[in-house]
Amino acid sequence: MGIEIGRTKLSNNERVDFFKTLSGWLSAGHGRTSVAEAVANTCDAFSHDEYATMKPRMDIIKREVQGGQIQFFEALRMSQLGFRPQEISIIEAAEKSSQLRQAVPALVRAMEIQYNGRREMVMKLAGPLFIGVMLILMSLGVLLFMLPLVVEPVIERNAKALQKFPFILRWYWYASVWLRANPWVPVVVVLAPLVLFLLRNTTLLRPYYLRFLLGWSVSRKLILGFNSVIVVYFMPALVRSGLPTYRVLQYLADCVSNPTLSNAFRVAAQEHENGIRMSQALEIIPFRASFINAVAAGESTGAIADRVQDLQDPYSIELERNIKTVVGTLKFIVMAILLPFFIVSTYTALVGPIFALMEY
């Protein structure tokens, strides 16, 4: 589309508002509003004021859907407005099975749970992470700059004076000498986590990064919590859409955000298509046992959607609990390890000059 000035993509909250507006129009008049009309009204609502720069793309979506040239999910994908593959997959499944009115509210709820949970986690983690980084930097500053400034002149004047210092001050001095003799160590300590985080999605590091996240119990619970919530909200809508159940699993593979889980759902879909019961095929998915039990119960009673839907509230609560666990773990690391380390560093910075003056 050439060079564009202004906003060209919808944020997470704005995409939720987009689908929420669409859901409202689809249910208007007791569901008598056509999909094309609902899409047109939604696009018009997101073509004014702060969304004015997006109007040309919204007009294209509206025109293509009203003209019957392409389906709505294809228009969303072509619009390049920031819609995620998972969101488009749900719209595609719902539209192909004529269940758009039922699927969009479920999509809105799942998106709200996902993005609100992620925002809550980031906000709660930001404080402990910032404090932890600052404590590390200030402790390194004491070791690399303050101690040499106040203690080194004393040692140069009288090398035996170090033996009169308290043990902790001597230990910090030896650590300071070692760090200054190996300057790459503090550089690696500070920069390595940042570099690894920035390069986590590269071809080389991505497999190890995903393996680490699923291997560490804290992040594993969080990843499984996020994705299980997405699945229990999307799966009932997909099942009720009339899709073959193996196709439901294929669409769920596009909905989950973790590549390892996505591949597991694709394997389960293939096995289910080959004749294995859905509950047996889903045993490779590392969700809680209640998920497999709900699917198995649904298969026996012919009500998979209802049984899985029963898990929505418990899984949402479990996700909030997992977020609190991650925040609590990080706070424990800061309070039990980094804070005492900084306090001792401050002690040496205060006591070091006193002993230095006593030796003059």
Side-chain angles (χ1 to χ4, degrees):
M1 294 186 178
I3 298 176
E4 296 178 289
I5 299 176
R7 299 180 57 203
T8 58
K9 293 184 183 297
L10 296 170
S11 66
N12 290 338
N13 288 333
E14 288 168 343
R15 292 200 310 278
V16 172
D17 290 340
F18 181 91
F19 287 118
K20 189 179 295 184
T21 303
L22 176 64
S23 176
W25 281 111
L26 287 172
S27 60
H30 302 286
R32 289 191 294 267
T33 305
S34 67
V35 172
E37 184 179 355
V39 170
N41 291 335
T42 302
C43 291
D44 287 339
F46 284 81
S47 299
H48 306 291
D49 301 325
E50 69 267 31
Y51 306 109
T53 56
M54 302 181 189
K55 187 177 187 304
R57 299 189 184 193
M58 292 293 178
D59 288 342
I60 292 175
I61 295 175
K62 180 172 63 175
R63 185 170 61 250
E64 295 290 345
V65 174
Q66 285 181 328
Q69 301 298 319
I70 59 176
Q71 290 184 288
F72 178 47
F73 74 90
E74 294 175 312
L76 291 181
R77 182 180 291 120
M78 294 171 56
S79 68
Q80 298 181 354
L81 284 169
F83 292 102
R84 302 289 175 82
Q86 299 95 325
E87 300 158 7
I88 296 175
S89 294
I90 291 296
I91 297 298
E92 178 182 1
E95 197 169 10
K96 287 183 176 179
S97 57
S98 301
Q99 296 292 324
L100 198 62
R101 300 179 197 277
Q102 292 76 22
V104 173
L107 172 62
V108 170
R109 179 59 177 155
M111 291 173 67
E112 286 178 333
I113 291 291
Q114 182 183 15
Y115 298 138
N116 290 342
R118 185 172 297 164
R119 183 174 62 249
E120 180 185 0
M121 182 184 66
V122 171
M123 291 177 62
K124 289 183 177 179
L125 288 178
L129 280 174
F130 177 77
I131 294 173
V133 171
M134 293 304 299
L135 290 176
I136 292 173
L137 292 178
M138 288 187 291
S139 299
L140 288 174
V142 171
L143 289 169
L144 295 174
F145 302 106
M146 181 165 285
L147 278 182
L149 183 64
V150 299
V151 176
E152 193 166 29
V154 176
I155 296 177
E156 289 178 351
R157 181 179 178 183
N158 181 10
K160 295 182 179 180
L162 183 63
Q163 301 304 317
K164 301 178 182 179
F165 287 4
F167 169 77
I168 190 64
L169 188 55
R170 295 201 308 271
W171 185 88
Y172 262 75
W173 171 251
Y174 294 138
S176 175
V177 172
W178 184 80
L179 286 175
R180 283 181 289 133
N182 301 275
W184 57 271
V185 173
V187 173
V188 170
V189 169
V190 174
L191 294 183
L194 178 61
V195 172
L196 290 174
F197 178 78
L198 294 176
L199 299 179
R200 67 190 185 281
N201 288 323
T202 59
T203 305
L204 178 63
L205 295 180
R206 186 173 177 79
Y208 300 100
Y209 176 72
L210 294 175
R211 193 179 308 163
F212 166 76
L213 290 180
L214 285 177
W216 187 31
S217 61
V218 176
S219 57
R220 177 184 176 85
K221 289 181 180 179
L222 196 58
I223 291 172
L224 295 180
F226 267 119
N227 287 281
S228 62
V229 167
I230 293 173
V231 168
V232 297
Y233 272 94
F234 286 163
M235 189 173 181
L238 291 171
V239 172
R240 290 178 179 134
S241 69
L243 288 169
T245 48
Y246 77 89
R247 290 285 292 160
V248 170
L249 298 183
Q250 290 175 348
Y251 277 112
L252 288 176
D254 295 327
C255 292
V256 296
S257 57
N258 183 270
T260 302
L261 294 177
S262 180
N263 291 334
F265 268 104
R266 289 191 176 91
V267 172
Q270 185 175 3
E271 292 182 350
H272 183 44
E273 186 179 7
N274 292 335
I276 297 178
R277 289 170 59 90
M278 179 187 281
S279 56
Q280 293 177 328
L282 286 173
E283 288 178 354
I284 62 173
I285 308 298
F287 288 168
R288 295 171 58 189
S290 57
F291 174 69
I292 305 299
N293 294 337
V295 175
E299 283 182 309
S300 301
T301 60
I304 295 177
D306 293 336
R307 299 290 74 76
V308 174
Q309 186 171 336
D310 292 339
L311 301 176
Q312 291 178 354
D313 290 338
Y315 277 27
S316 298
I317 296 173
E318 182 68 19
L319 176 59
E320 295 177 2
R321 188 179 298 115
N322 289 336
I323 293 175
K324 292 180 180 178
T325 300
V326 173
V327 175
T329 301
L330 186 59
K331 286 183 177 179
F332 174 79
I333 293 174
V334 171
M335 299 302 293
I337 301 176
L338 297 180
L339 184 58
F341 181 65
F342 173 70
I343 291 174
V344 175
S345 299
T346 304
Y347 164 79
T348 61
L350 294 174
V351 173
I354 296 175
F355 280 92
L357 288 173
M358 290 172 59
E359 295 301 321
Y360 273 100

